[in-house]
Amino acid sequence: MKIGLHDAEKEHFKHKTFPNLALMKISAYHKGKGDDVEWWNPLYRYDRVYSSKVFDFTPIDPYLSDDAIRGGTGYRDIPIDRTLPDEVDGMFPDYSIYLKCDYAVGYLTRGCPNHCRWCVVPRKEGNIRPYREWQELVRDDSDRLVLMDNNILCCDYGIQQLESLIGSGYRIDLNQGMDARLVDREIAQILSKLTWIRHIRFSCDQKSQIEPIQRTIDLLKENGVKPYRVFIYLLVTDDLQNASERVEALKRYK
């Protein structure tokens, strides 16, 4: 079979470098069956086309055929809880389709117990649950691991996985931003002992998170982590005054 892969964000945002995990697993699955896999080209014919679109503001390619298999939260007409078949989801990603990706990506947990009004994760993935062990995600040719967990600190399994990464030789990034409300002295010690690619990321989406972030920064400082190592995602909605107050409260940490 001849398989075409379509990454809507890669097509639209020419500077995009972050890989699409679902497409890498689909590629690995079909190559394992002996199929030919390449990036979709509207001028060619394929036995099957897979299209993934993460963001709803990414344009839909008008040349995609109606029978293309579409997935991702960017397609509003697709059930939001659509997932890969187990035999595909269990594949180790084919990193060769993203030549600039020199790190591993994946999830240790899936889902989130929170129901923030701006977030689709609980509807898409359900409650928090264990998903993979970090040893299943890492690459032999890289010491970097980027985790995309949505709320890794809200389950014991996620915390245990992070703790087991200490001293592993792998550098990590949690690119979705952790919930500072869940950080206590024990978790702060774990975070301080991990080797980070660059930042330790948290989210400040509402004013109630300001105090927990301030407390977390202080706990990390006690364990030798300077405030400049902390990165804060700050959600901005129509309430600009709310966002401004969050910015001003966090400015003092430089």
Side-chain angles (χ1 to χ4, degrees):
M1 292 180 64
K2 187 172 183 179
I3 306 298
L5 303 179
H6 175 247
D7 179 339
E9 279 70 38
K10 180 176 180 292
E11 176 184 76
H12 180 66
F13 302 104
K14 304 304 181 183
H15 63 281
K16 180 203 170 184
T17 58
F18 198 79
N20 185 297
L21 182 59
L23 291 178
M24 288 195 293
K25 289 186 175 186
I26 290 170
S27 177
Y29 174 77
H30 278 285
K31 285 183 177 179
K33 295 179 65 176
D35 297 331
D36 293 326
V37 180
E38 64 182 44
W39 288 114
W40 172 78
N41 186 319
L43 300 178
Y44 299 161
R45 289 183 176 274
Y46 299 90
D47 298 298
R48 189 175 299 168
V49 174
Y50 296 91
S51 176
S52 178
K53 192 162 90 77
V54 177
F55 304 116
D56 57 11
F57 53 79
T58 304
I60 295 176
D61 193 302
Y63 297 105
L64 269 178
S65 60
D66 292 338
D67 61 353
I69 300 174
R70 306 175 190 227
T73 50
Y75 283 119
R76 293 185 174 181
D77 57 337
I78 301 299
I80 197 169
D81 58 352
R82 172 177 287 183
T83 59
L84 295 174
D86 290 342
E87 65 269 22
V88 180
D89 192 43
M91 299 298 297
F92 188 80
D94 175 14
Y95 287 97
S96 70
I97 65 174
Y98 290 98
L99 294 177
K100 293 183 179 180
C101 178
D102 59 357
Y103 49 87
V105 299
Y107 296 85
L108 299 175
T109 63
R110 299 305 292 258
C112 180
N114 300 335
H115 291 273
C116 303
R117 66 183 184 277
W118 54 80
C119 182
V120 302
V121 171
R123 288 190 290 131
K124 181 176 176 59
E125 301 183 11
N127 201 354
I128 188 78
R129 65 188 186 281
Y131 179 66
R132 294 284 188 271
E133 296 181 351
W134 65 263
Q135 293 90 340
E136 301 175 63
L137 306 182
V138 294
R139 296 170 56 173
D140 293 335
D141 59 348
S142 176
D143 67 348
R144 297 194 294 167
L145 171 60
V146 177
L147 298 170
M148 300 183 288
D149 297 58
N150 291 286
N151 201 344
I152 195 169
L153 299 182
C154 72
C155 74
D156 291 339
Y157 176 82
I159 297 170
Q160 291 164 4
Q161 284 292 300
L162 289 178
E163 188 172 19
S164 68
L165 272 161
I166 296 173
S168 66
Y170 288 96
R171 297 180 291 155
I172 72 165
D173 183 16
L174 274 156
N175 70 358
Q176 296 300 299
M178 292 176 285
D179 188 344
R181 295 171 295 189
L182 302 173
V183 177
D184 56 19
R185 291 188 179 279
E186 180 181 357
I187 291 177
Q189 290 176 354
I190 292 172
L191 297 180
S192 68
K193 292 177 182 178
L194 287 163
T195 304
W196 299 89
I197 294 173
R198 189 175 182 186
H199 298 297
I200 306 177
R201 304 176 193 271
F202 296 94
S203 296
C204 188
D205 301 327
Q206 47 198 334
K207 287 197 289 186
S208 62
Q209 291 174 295
I210 293 174
E211 189 280 328
I213 286 175
Q214 293 172 333
R215 175 177 49 79
T216 294
I217 291 174
D218 291 338
L219 286 173
L220 289 172
K221 283 176 65 177
E222 292 177 10
N223 287 277
V225 178
K226 301 294 185 183
Y228 72 84
R229 297 290 310 282
V230 178
F231 181 103
I232 307 295
Y233 289 112
L234 196 141
L235 177 71
V236 179
T237 62
D238 292 338
D239 189 349
L240 298 183
Q241 180 61 34
N242 183 294
S244 177
E245 291 175 15
R246 282 178 279 141
V247 169
E248 293 303 321
L250 297 172
K251 266 186 176 180
R252 69 186 181 94
Y253 289 101
K254 308 298 182 183

